[in-house]
Amino acid sequence: MSRQISELRESVARLHGELTRYGLVAWTAGNVSARVPGHDLMVIKPSGVDYDDLSADNMVLCDLDGMPVEGELSPSSDTAAHAYVYRAMPEVGGVVHTHSTYATAWAARGESIPCHLTAQADEFGGEIPVGPFALIGGDDIGKGIVSTLTGHRSPAVLMRNHGVFTIGRTARAAVKAAVMCEDVARTAHLTRALGRPVPMAQADIDALYDRYQNVYGQRSSPPANS
Ligand SMILES: [Zn+2]
């Protein structure tokens, strides 16, 4: 198990670099976590550490109640939300949180992002939904994420007046969903500013989603890494 954990520490630390590379985070906001497969454990970013200083060594190993079991630093202040998602959704292997600008502007208005783009149909299978307003600290954010995404195609939820949470089979898949969420939110914003979007037929959205989830990409890669 220790090799598995050290590999996850490495990959979770590295995936935080994607949040800065794609401009999804400011200062120390935002976080990535990964479940330790087969164990009630997760690896998550430490609280309040600069992105430039993140490394495998300072990632925090926590149990699925959000309590640290290894590491000297306190875990991210969003740890309770990540832990709640892992407890409630056994298929989820990675969780990401950002306040990325365009997606969070939709969250601030409490408006879901309607699906008017093939790329959104591919990744999200339709609208990107809004979740409830919830204060940080207890299980409320986690409950809001789980209640909104359970039975929903979208791996991303816009938590009202807050920001984006994404889930995936792996941490990398959840990071990809966070990147794509901001990308479609930006285009949806411009579309709204320029005029009226042209609706897409539900059958076309369904066909795009099915193809992307089941056929797209290299055959040797799992879909989560497409
Ligand atoms: Zn936040």
Side-chain angles (χ1 to χ4, degrees):
M1 184 170 87
S2 63
R3 170 138 177 249
Q4 186 184 26
I5 289 169
S6 61
E7 283 174 3
L8 278 175
R9 284 176 166 280
E10 194 72 54
S11 73
V12 171
R14 199 177 54 242
L15 283 165
H16 281 90
E18 302 295 325
L19 304 189
T20 51
R21 185 148 78 105
Y22 286 96
L24 305 186
V25 291
W27 200 238
T28 62
N31 38 71
V32 179
S33 72
R35 185 199 291 274
V36 181
H39 301 277
D40 287 339
L41 295 167
M42 65 186 213
V43 172
I44 192 165
K45 176 173 169 274
S47 181
V49 174
D50 287 348
Y51 273 83
D52 285 348
D53 296 330
L54 294 179
S55 68
D57 289 342
N58 59 26
M59 294 297 114
V60 185
L61 183 70
C62 292
D63 64 23
L64 295 191
D65 291 317
M67 300 307 292
V69 299
E70 190 181 286
E72 311 210 327
L73 298 170
S74 302
S76 160
S77 50
D78 293 301
T79 298
H82 291 243
Y84 189 94
V85 172
Y86 291 125
R87 292 201 304 275
M89 305 179 95
E91 71 280 15
V92 170
V95 178
V96 172
H97 174 49
T98 80
H99 304 153
S100 66
T101 307
Y102 285 87
T104 301
W106 289 82
R109 288 180 297 108
E111 185 177 358
S112 59
I113 303 175
C115 185
H116 300 303
L117 296 167
T118 58
Q120 187 173 341
D122 287 345
E123 176 75 22
F124 301 94
E127 61 149 28
I128 299 175
V130 172
F133 178 77
L135 290 176
I136 196 165
D139 281 340
D140 289 354
I141 293 178
K143 279 181 187 160
I145 298 165
V146 169
S147 65
T148 308
L149 294 184
T150 298
H152 205 292
R153 285 176 176 173
S154 173
V157 51
L158 311 173
M159 291 298 284
R160 190 162 65 79
N161 301 103
H162 183 175
V164 180
F165 280 85
T166 63
I167 58 175
R169 271 187 279 174
T170 62
R172 179 179 153 81
V175 169
K176 182 193 174 199
V179 171
M180 300 308 285
C181 179
E182 179 63 4
D183 188 50
V184 301
R186 186 170 49 210
T187 309
H189 167 79
L190 288 173
T191 306
R192 182 69 67 83
L194 292 170
R196 263 223 222 162
V198 179
M200 289 174 71
Q202 186 62 47
D204 291 334
I205 293 172
D206 293 346
L208 286 159
Y209 181 67
D210 180 63
R211 174 191 157 276
Y212 191 77
Q213 300 297 321
N214 298 310
V215 182
Y216 175 81
Q218 305 300 320
R219 256 157 224 275
S220 56
S221 308
N225 293 325
S226 61

